[in-house]
């Protein structure tokens, strides 16, 4: 708000025709988004960084069945809605979803009917801003938003244990309804196995290290960080 007052003041008293962008540096809003889908349900997490470097955290629980890609799109749409409601005009969006970012950038073609609808809605919302840049980042750079998206199964240490979670009842491409819920996040037994398989990072506790080393061979980690148990006959469970 203070930054907007300063901008309005300078605009009012500058000589007509002066380019204000040469005088006032406009910092973009940054939005980190991530979606997650598993057997327990689907969720979306966003982290908004304002031009004044304030961090706003939001977590959305999807009240409908959604694939991982649909959850990623819901996260992107939720992030755009939040910054649009806050009056942002210059926006930079960061996501670790290769498919969503590539489709929005035009590098991948959307063929699935639901992906086509999501892509059209995203482009429609992007028209409400002066500029919108969307970039793909590594999953490790998006862990905060990832933690918010997977509250039901895992959470990063730096995220508060009790945060407000919004429930999205229906897909964005058909209806938009939000209900507030409060969910207390818990640690998940899979976290240590996933960290060990993905980053070769073992727990600090000696007993936990031994347990993870005994059990990690029974599991397989897919590219989207979903954990599968190996069966004796071959197929992943």
């Amino acid at each position: 708000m203070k930054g907007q007052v300063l901008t309005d003041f300078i605009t009012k008293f500058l000589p007509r025709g002066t380019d204000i962008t040469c005088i006032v540096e406009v910092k973009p809003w940054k939005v980190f988004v991530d979606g997650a889908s598993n057997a327990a349900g689907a969720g979306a997490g966003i982290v908004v960084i304002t031009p004044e470097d304030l961090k706003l955290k939001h977590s959305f629980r999807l009240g409908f069945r959604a694939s991982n890609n649909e959850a990623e799109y819901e996260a992107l749409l939720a992030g755009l809605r939040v910054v649009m409601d806050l009056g942002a005009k210059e926006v930079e969006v960061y996501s670790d979803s290769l498919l969503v970012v590539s489709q929005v950038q035009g590098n991948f073609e959307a063929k699935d009917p639901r992906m086509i609808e999501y892509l059209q809605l995203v482009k429609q919302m992007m028209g409400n801003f002066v500029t919108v840049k969307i970039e793909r980042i590594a999953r490790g750079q998006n862990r905060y938003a990832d933690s918010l998206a997977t509250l039901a199964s895992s959470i990063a240490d730096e995220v508060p244990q009790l945060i407000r979670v919004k429930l999205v009842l229906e897909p964005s491409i058909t209806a938009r309804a939000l209900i507030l819920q409060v969910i207390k996040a818990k640690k998940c037994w899979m976290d240590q196995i996933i960290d060990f398989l993905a980053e070769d990072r073992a727990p600090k506790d000696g007993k936990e290290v031994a347990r993870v080393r005994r059990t990690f061979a029974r599991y397989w980690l897919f590219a989207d960080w979903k954990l599968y148990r190996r069966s004796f006959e071959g197929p992943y469970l």
Side-chain angles (χ1 to χ4, degrees):
M1 292 176 62
K2 293 179 180 178
Q4 186 61 51
V5 170
L6 175 61
T7 303
D8 294 341
F9 178 82
I10 294 176
T11 304
K12 181 176 181 180
F13 290 99
L14 279 175
R16 183 172 298 179
T18 304
D19 185 3
I20 190 174
T21 59
C22 298
I23 300 175
V24 179
E25 179 184 1
V26 179
K27 293 183 64 177
W29 293 63
K30 296 183 179 181
V31 187
F32 293 81
V33 301
D34 193 32
S37 176
N38 50 52
I46 65 173
V47 177
V48 177
I49 303 179
T50 72
E52 294 78 23
D53 293 328
L54 297 176
K55 285 187 178 180
L56 311 175
K57 286 85 65 177
H58 295 264
S59 186
F60 297 83
R61 181 169 177 81
L62 306 184
F64 52 89
R65 295 182 64 84
S67 67
N68 195 65
N69 289 330
E70 290 172 347
E72 294 283 2
Y73 262 116
E74 289 288 349
L76 174 56
L77 289 167
L80 291 175
R81 290 191 198 105
V82 168
V83 292
M84 182 174 66
D85 291 342
L86 293 173
K89 295 301 180 183
E90 311 277 344
V91 180
E92 294 179 358
V93 183
Y94 300 92
S95 170
D96 56 36
S97 172
L98 175 62
L99 182 136
V100 171
V101 173
S102 298
Q103 286 184 350
V104 175
Q105 291 178 341
N107 299 325
F108 285 4
E109 180 183 357
K111 297 181 179 179
D112 181 82
R114 293 183 67 82
M115 295 296 101
I116 293 175
E117 287 190 67
Y118 270 117
L119 180 59
Q120 291 175 345
L121 182 56
V122 167
K123 290 186 175 181
Q124 178 182 341
M125 290 194 63
M126 290 172 65
N128 296 316
F129 303 92
V130 176
T131 60
V132 179
K133 296 180 181 179
I134 180 168
E135 296 182 15
R136 181 171 180 257
I137 58 176
R139 191 180 183 89
Q141 296 176 283
N142 207 27
R143 292 188 68 88
Y144 208 151
D146 177 67
S147 297
L148 294 172
T150 55
L151 269 176
S153 58
S154 64
I155 192 167
D157 292 336
E158 67 269 25
V159 180
Q161 292 296 304
L162 189 63
I163 69 172
R164 187 175 66 175
V165 178
K166 293 182 179 179
L167 176 63
V168 182
L169 289 177
E170 297 183 11
S172 296
I173 54 178
T174 56
R176 305 185 186 98
L178 301 178
I179 295 181
L180 295 182
Q181 281 192 345
V182 176
I183 295 179
K184 191 169 184 178
K186 298 180 180 178
K187 293 285 186 177
C188 179
W189 62 271
M190 293 185 292
D191 293 349
Q192 295 177 339
I193 298 176
I194 292 176
D195 289 340
F196 188 82
L197 291 174
E199 303 176 356
D200 198 25
R201 179 156 52 90
K204 295 180 180 179
D205 184 84
K207 293 182 180 180
E208 292 297 322
V209 172
R211 184 185 66 80
V212 170
R213 291 187 182 278
R214 284 197 310 269
T215 59
F216 84 92
R218 304 175 192 169
Y219 299 92
W220 175 73
L221 190 64
F222 191 55
D224 61 358
W225 284 46
K226 288 184 179 178
L227 195 65
Y228 293 85
R229 185 179 177 89
R230 298 177 184 270
S231 67
F232 291 105
E233 297 179 353
Y236 297 117
L237 304 180

